[in-house]
Structure formats: structure tokens, C-alpha cells
Amino acid sequence: MKVPMQWIKEYADIPVSAEEYQSKMIMIGNGVEGYEEQGAEIENVVVGRVLTCQPHPDSDHLHVTTVDVGEAEPLNIVCGAPNCEAGILVPVAKIGAKLPGGIKIKKGKLRGVASEGMLCGGDELGVPVELYPHVGEKGLLIFNEDYPVGSDVKPILGMDDTVMDFEVLANRPDCLSVWGVARETAVACGTTFRKPEIAVKECGGDINDYVKVEVRDPDLCPRYIARVIKDVRVGPSPMWLRKYLNGAGMRSINNVVDITNFIMLETGHPMHAFDLDMVEGHHIIVRRSVEGESITTLDGKQHDLTPGQLVICDASKPSCLAGIMGGEESEITEKTHTMMF
């Protein structure tokens, strides 16, 4: 199980290095397969603002730019990206910078014009679009937010953390969550576990007017609860959420799906969000599957169910493989206005 250290530190202080932390966790019986320093291959890449962008005198696709990186004088950089223009904020690899793949930036000339660095795209920095949606497929990575020139790009891009890879054994299901790991961390480091206080503010009438929940097989699922949220606005998640999910090995989908995955990883309790308008009869039934039933899951694959599997159903058919994956039919989309989870 991969867990970013900054996420663990939300609930327990870690006053030692990643290497020492790994050793301490192992010594109290927690398996640690290793850790990864995110962005370790990136050095000396900062935020820069393109001040001027002119056509190269000896090329039909290159640009000659001046770029403010917070130093006394702007840098002169030749760039071939089609989306380069004056005024944009972009990652700038300065002279001596290192990029993934062992690339080192040196001062040089491109068709006779001196270039003092490199304007970077997301692929050159190894930034997945799920982590930073503005990456795009081609050209420069353009920051839509306003950042001070000269700032290190790694915190901005969510690539400044250390990810621990824990081996959780079958006898320690309590550690299959960030909270569980944080409790162990507090013991190993002699610090305090800070479990957050959770308060829910309800409004908008009786939930029984919106959805009915029925558990038919309590031996497999003794309790199933649901809440409804109206007037949902589906969109991209904030960076902190995308960053934690990426470190844990999950890709960002949208704010609704991401927060359910975040809670699942944090607490160890499976969660799934349904588009309530797509749940037939607004009726949730927890039962065993029967002969001939099938479900198309969120990954687009159709599965023929074995009789007796635990499924979460609407009024007529399975909508979710319990504790495994949700169904495609009731997934959260940009059209979702009312959700149940």
C-alpha cells in the first residue's frame, strides 16, 4: 500500500528522515518495501513568465523568447513549442537543471541564437495529466494560476513528497488505511496520533424521501448506510487531493469520485458514489447475485456474476460489486446533479 508521507503527517508527526522512518516502522513489525522520492530527477526548474516571444530569424517554427525567472536579468531562451506566447507562466529549466531521464540543461545555440535554458512541457517533467490537468498533450505546460516567478515547480505540480510502500499482512487489516498507518507511525516515532473530529451538517428534509436502503443478506453485509447530496457541481479536484491520490497510486477523475476514493484510502472503508437519477426506483438493495445476472463496471468491462456474490443493486439489477467496483450505468458524470454515497 502506497502512502505519501505528507498525508501521514496530517495525523502523526514524523521527526526523522524517510530512511529512519522506514527503519522505525520495520522495527515495530510493519513491512516496508521501500520508498520513492517524487520529483527526485527534477532540479533547478522554476516558474518563469515569458516576457517576449518573437519568430526565430532562421526558422519557421522556433521562437526567441525572453523569460523572467526572478533573477536580475531575463533569460534568453529559444523554444519550439507551438503554444509559446508572451505573458504565459511556464516551467523553466535553467542552466544546470536536471530532468527525468538523466537530461541536463546546458547553455547552447539553436540555429545561431543563444539559449539559456529550456521552457518545459509536461512530458519533459514526467507530469501525468491526472495530476495536473493543464499539462495538455503537446507544447508547454502553462500555469493557469498565478505563481511568483522563480518558485520551485515541484510543490506546484504535486511532486515534492516521499511515498512509502507498505506491505500490510493479512493479520493487520487495521493498517489498510492512512489512519491505521498514522497510528503505527505515532507509536514508532513516539509522537501523537491526531484523529480528526468529523461533524456532518444535514439539511433539505428527510433522506427517506430521496432513497430507500434495504439489506437482504445481513450475514454478508450487516449494515449499509447512505447519504444524498443535491445540487452537485462536478469538476476537477483541488491540487492537494489530486496529489495525495496520485501518490497512493490512484488517478484523479473528478471532485466527487476523488473524495470518495480519498475517504476510502484514509479510513479503510469502501465508498462509492452513485448518480441518484440513474438508480432505478431510487432503491438500493444489498443482496446476493442470482443466476444470469451481469454488470458492466466502471472500467467498461462486462462481468457475468456467479450466484451468491454480494452486490449492491437498484430496484431491478446490480449496480455495484460490493467492496470492489461500481457499475458504469450509475457512475458520476458532468451531468450529475444529485448523488448518493
Side-chain angles (χ1 to χ4, degrees), residues 13-34:
D13 293 332
I14 305 176
V16 294
S17 68
E19 184 176 0
E20 291 177 280
Y21 173 58
Q22 175 182 246
S23 178
K24 286 179 176 292
M25 291 295 278
I26 291 173
M27 290 304 294
I28 67 166
N30 294 280
V32 183
E33 297 188 356

Side-chain angles (χ1 to χ4, degrees), residues 105-159:
I105 303 302
K106 301 178 181 179
K107 185 175 182 178
K109 285 187 177 182
L110 289 173
R111 297 199 178 183
V113 177
S115 186
E116 303 172 306
M118 174 181 170
L119 308 186
C120 300
D123 54 345
E124 291 152 337
L125 296 174
V127 182
V129 67
E130 294 86 2
L131 179 58
Y132 198 82
H134 307 321
V135 166
E137 295 182 359
K138 294 182 180 180
L140 301 175
L141 188 161
I142 299 175
F143 295 118
N144 287 3
E145 305 86 358
D146 190 21
Y147 299 109
V149 295
S151 303
D152 186 352
V153 301
K154 288 196 289 186
I156 295 170
L157 297 174
M159 302 179 71

Side-chain angles (χ1 to χ4, degrees), residues 216-230:
R216 292 184 181 173
D217 288 287
D219 57 323
L220 295 182
C221 177
R223 185 169 182 249
Y224 190 97
I225 58 177
R227 288 189 180 273
V228 172
I229 299 178
K230 301 186 294 181

Side-chain angles (χ1 to χ4, degrees), residues 210-211 224 227-234 254 256-257 260 272-284 298 312-315 317 319-320 326-341:
Y210 296 95
V211 63
Y224 190 97
R227 288 189 180 273
V228 172
I229 299 178
K230 301 186 294 181
D231 302 322
V232 171
R233 288 181 290 180
V234 178
N254 57 52
V256 173
V257 174
T260 60
H272 178 65
F274 299 81
D275 184 330
L276 188 57
D277 293 333
M278 303 304 295
V279 176
E280 187 173 332
H282 290 190
H283 189 180
I284 291 294
L298 290 170
I312 314 301
C313 306
D314 62 19
K317 61 189 179 302
S319 293
C320 183
E328 188 176 62
E329 185 173 296
S330 57
E331 70 175 320
I332 301 296
T333 69
E334 294 179 355
K335 298 179 181 179
T336 300
H337 296 291
T338 306
M339 62 167 282
M340 184 205 76
F341 64 95

